[in-house]
Amino acid sequence: MTGRRTVLGAALAGQRRTIALSTVMFSGHQAGEAAVPFLIGVIIDRAVAGGVGSLALWLGVLAAVYLCLSYSFRYGARAAERAAEQAAHDLRLRVTRRVLDARGGAEADRLPGALVSIATSDASRVGAVAVAVAAGVAAVVAVVFTAVLLLSISLPLGLLVLLGTPPLMLLTRLLGKPLERRSETEQEHGAQASGIAADLVAGLRVIKGLRAESAAVARYRRRSRSALAATVRAARAEAAYQGVVSTLSGAFLAVIAVVGGLLAVRGQVSVGQLISSLGLAQFLVGPLSTFGWVGADLAQGRASARRIAAVLHAPDAVTGGSASPVTPARGALTLRGLHSPPLRGVDLDIAPGELLGVVAADPAEAAELVRVLGRVRDPAAGSVRLDGVALTELAPSALRAVVLATEHHTDLFDGTLRDAVSLAGRARPDRVAAALATADADEVARSLPDGLDSVLGDQARSLSGGQRQRIALARAVAGDPPVLIVHDPTTAVDAVTEARIAGRLRSMRDGLTTVLVTSSPALLAVTDRVVVLRDGAVQSSGTHADLIAGDAGYRETVLA
């Protein structure tokens, strides 16, 4: 509840000036609209009385009111939309910053497509509350102003509006509760469907290669049907809500019209006043119907704010740590009693400038080691130290300026090949050229029509798996980090190219700490030392040649 209110309140507070301007302009428009039927009644009474000069005066007043209400609506609507769009934009930035935060955690148990839905659809719904607030306040002003005008005509009519509107608004608020719950469910199911769709598109080539199209479609169809059912339930709730609100508003207006008619029959109001009363009652249809859609927007906005709050307030994947690494970094890594399932008690010393190979019989152990060394997550027990300082004491963003850990599955973003390798221009041109040559990605550039300026659209899926791997490795090497940890960077590369990459990588990383988590014999052959992980701990270590000769398990893993 608190998180929802914080998100919603912050979004509105950030646009308070624009919302205030919009509210004033909308209120002016509503007051002008209410004044029109009142002025028409006055004009009729003046015409009946035969005062030509007075009639002309009031006609002029009516024209001025029309002019003012027209401009008030125009600029009020503009300000309201600006507030809504800016509030949604600010929320999208907050969600994006939280998802990209170095401490992680926001992406836990959420598909990428679901996060996109939260950052777009939910942010827009919360932004729309800015319009709802301005319109809702203006509707209240309209009702109060109408009541004042009715009081000037007849005390019973004015009191009827003043006393009858608050219960109607309270009932509208209570009726919006089911809509809020169903709206949140609808958004959740829709986000899940979007997430699955995004994953299917991302893995389209793999799905086709496995001939799993029917299974993928069936999975998406099930989730899509759930989303459709949730959307239909939410739409039914909104339709029922709007219908009930319209019925209550209509009944309320009918009561006002009947009371006004009875007063006219008894001679307590004039003809012009009767027309004004009926016109004001008819005008109230607008503000009262506004309460209906404002209530719906508020309900949906609160539901979306709750989903956004869940992302913004998600617990960090790694906690603590604000120090910066020792500079210049030597690159010494020390692991003691490292326990992070499936790793169980890993003890390991990596010397500064060492080119170390790590072979794990279980791929899950290899993947977990890369995550812990890159501080994507902290170990359950034990410690990892960089140049004598525990990783948990270091700020993740500062750590990643020194330690670059790339997992096996990496993404290439849309843009040119040059931008992909140069980290959007942060790497020097000479480093980019050297990195391309090291990863044999310069051959990829030569095969493309525009070389380094070729655009890698659709996450470079038009390239082969080996080409994408070489570009990703070049990107990692171009950053020139003091400590580089890569996981299976050449699994889709042919043996000849892999051997060429191995020799160049050793030369390129000479004097810098490099950890190759791999089972590739070509890469392991150029390392200074190889460590073998088995059953979650270090089983043996030595040179690649010694392990091939004396460790049957290593030989089976590497040469299989």
Side-chain angles (χ1 to χ4, degrees), residues 475-540:
R475 179 179 61 186
V477 173
D480 198 28
V483 178
L484 175 63
I485 302 150
V486 291
H487 183 197
D488 281 333
T490 57
T491 52
V493 176
D494 64 85
V496 175
T497 304
E498 189 176 35
R500 192 160 54 240
I501 291 173
R504 293 172 178 174
L505 184 61
R506 179 173 182 84
S507 175
M508 182 78 173
R509 295 290 300 172
D510 185 39
L512 298 173
T513 304
T514 307
V515 180
L516 302 177
V517 183
T518 182
S519 59
S520 164
L523 293 176
L524 294 170
V526 302
T527 60
D528 298 318
R529 179 170 57 111
V530 179
V531 171
V532 181
L533 295 179
R534 192 177 298 276
D535 296 327
V538 175
Q539 183 190 55
S540 58

Side-chain angles (χ1 to χ4, degrees), residues 414-453:
D414 291 352
T416 65
L417 176 56
R418 189 190 306 276
D419 287 340
V421 176
S422 69
L423 306 171
R426 284 180 292 164
R428 302 193 313 269
D430 59 322
R431 294 296 306 177
V432 172
L436 286 166
T438 296
D440 208 44
D442 51 355
E443 184 274 332
V444 178
R446 287 192 295 271
S447 69
L448 297 174
D450 297 319
L452 288 175
D453 294 318

Side-chain angles (χ1 to χ4, degrees), residues 548-560:
I548 285 288
D551 189 329
Y554 176 81
R555 189 164 54 246
E556 179 182 354
T557 300
V558 171
L559 301 181

Side-chain angles (χ1 to χ4, degrees), residues 49 61 156:
V61 172

